Amino acid sequence: MARYWLLKSEPSVFSIDDLRRAPRQTTSWEGVRNYQARNFLRDDMQVGDQALFYHSNVTPAGIAGIVEVVRAGYPDHTAFDPESRYYDVKSDPARPTWFMVDVRLVRVFPRLITLDELKRTPGLETMLVIRRGMRLSVQPVTESEWHVVLALAGGEPALA
DNA sequence: GCCAACGTTGGC
DNA sequence: GCCAACGTTGGC
């Protein structure tokens, strides 16, 4: 049973356009350094799960499209690379602390679904991403929330 | 750039 | 284990 997720990325670091131009429109979701998010990546995300691609720390913030998990959790090797911005001196390759998944672009929405719009949409009242102070960068999304968001995106799928 | 909210660290 | 200090996130 596929699950639904929301993945945050700052577009100045990695945007949905970057993913669209990436080889095979696939990327590793590296650099998550929060334990709760790590647990989702390591333990819960499965091949075939789909995720909303959320642009954070930008005006306006919002959902830009959909990705699909194509590889389940595996160690985030950037934690072992001193040259990486995600290097973590305390992460032991023999017992990795941090994990990542691979995702492939499924769809770019014809327009950004803004955070403000999410907040005003019936059916999304308890969606995690609209919660004040919610910093979790990997979040579960319920099936009903998923369908409401896709209805907002509207129209025919804008395929990647 | 500001700053509130949050997660982590580390002294005790 | 407590909790103040600190660094980061992320909306605005």
Side-chain angles (χ1 to χ4, degrees):
Chain A
M1 182 67 177
R3 297 198 205 186
Y4 300 110
W5 306 95
L6 179 144
L7 296 171
K8 289 185 191 173
S9 184
E10 301 189 20
S12 62
V13 177
F14 189 79
S15 71
I16 202 162
D17 254 0
D18 294 326
L19 180 55
R20 192 171 48 75
R21 291 190 295 260
R24 297 182 311 285
Q25 300 189 326
T26 299
T27 189
S28 54
W29 203 260
E30 66 197 41
V32 172
R33 297 291 179 267
N34 166 281
Y35 287 102
Q36 195 179 352
R38 185 279 311 272
N39 292 345
F40 286 135
L41 293 172
R42 185 189 62 187
D43 305 331
D44 299 313
M45 294 183 79
Q46 295 298 329
V47 172
D49 286 2
Q50 293 198 307
L52 303 169
F53 192 119
Y54 182 86
H55 280 175
S56 65
N57 201 20
V58 67
T59 304
I63 298 167
I66 296 172
V67 299
E68 178 174 356
V69 177
V70 294
R71 180 176 176 186
Y74 63 105
D76 180 346
H77 52 77
T78 66
F80 314 132
D81 175 7
E83 301 301 310
S84 170
R85 61 177 293 181
Y86 302 122
Y87 179 58
D88 177 4
V89 67
K90 298 196 298 291
S91 180
D92 174 5
R95 292 196 44 174
T97 305
W98 305 116
F99 284 73
M100 59 188 180
V101 299
D102 289 353
V103 298
R104 183 174 59 219
L105 184 61
V106 171
R107 181 178 168 192
V108 179
F109 288 162
R111 63 185 183 85
L112 190 77
I113 315 259
T114 66
L115 178 59
D116 183 62
E117 186 174 357
L118 296 174
K119 288 176 176 172
R120 290 186 282 101
T121 300
L124 300 183
E125 293 85 353
T126 59
M127 193 173 185
L128 290 175
V129 73
I130 70 170
R131 233 183 247 179
R132 170 179 175 73
M134 167 52 70
R135 303 188 340 188
L136 191 59
S137 64
V138 179
Q139 303 176 4
V141 170
T142 70
E143 184 166 7
S144 74
E145 289 164 352
W146 180 266
H147 292 302
V148 171
V149 170
L150 262 60
L152 283 179
E156 289 302 301
L159 294 176

